[in-house]
Amino acid sequence: DYDYGADDEEGGVAIRALYRIVDRNLDVPVRPSAGTDHRYAYTYWHTIANLVAAFRDLYCTAYGADQGTAT
């Protein structure tokens, strides 16, 4: 429920779009299960890690400088 800013703010639209992609990938039907091939499971979790890193980087670029928290 975090406020990612208005659509016209820098980064607001991009962060919302990336959030929807991450949310879609975390949906239960696409997650690996106990019977999933280990290669697919690895690829899935690797993709999730990359999406989270992209979300972090985009957020820090858009809002970190304002708050002095960009690293």
Side-chain angles (χ1 to χ4, degrees), residues 17 44 61-63 69:
Y44 172 81
T61 299
Y63 298 103
T69 59

Side-chain angles (χ1 to χ4, degrees), residues 17-48:
L18 190 54
Y19 178 83
R20 282 191 294 272
I21 292 168
V22 171
D23 190 50
R24 189 175 336 129
N25 277 281
L26 288 174
D27 197 16
V28 173
V30 297
R31 285 189 206 164
S33 65
T36 303
D37 177 56
H38 70 278
R39 288 180 187 97
Y40 174 77
Y42 172 81
T43 302
Y44 172 81
W45 289 111
H46 187 265
T47 300
I48 293 299

Side-chain angles (χ1 to χ4, degrees), residues 1 4 8 10-11 14 16 22 35 41 48 51 53 58-60 66 69:
D1 293 339
Y4 294 109
D8 58 348
E10 180 182 349
R16 272 192 202 44
V22 171
I48 293 299
L51 287 169
L58 181 60
Y59 182 85
C60 286
D66 294 340
T69 59

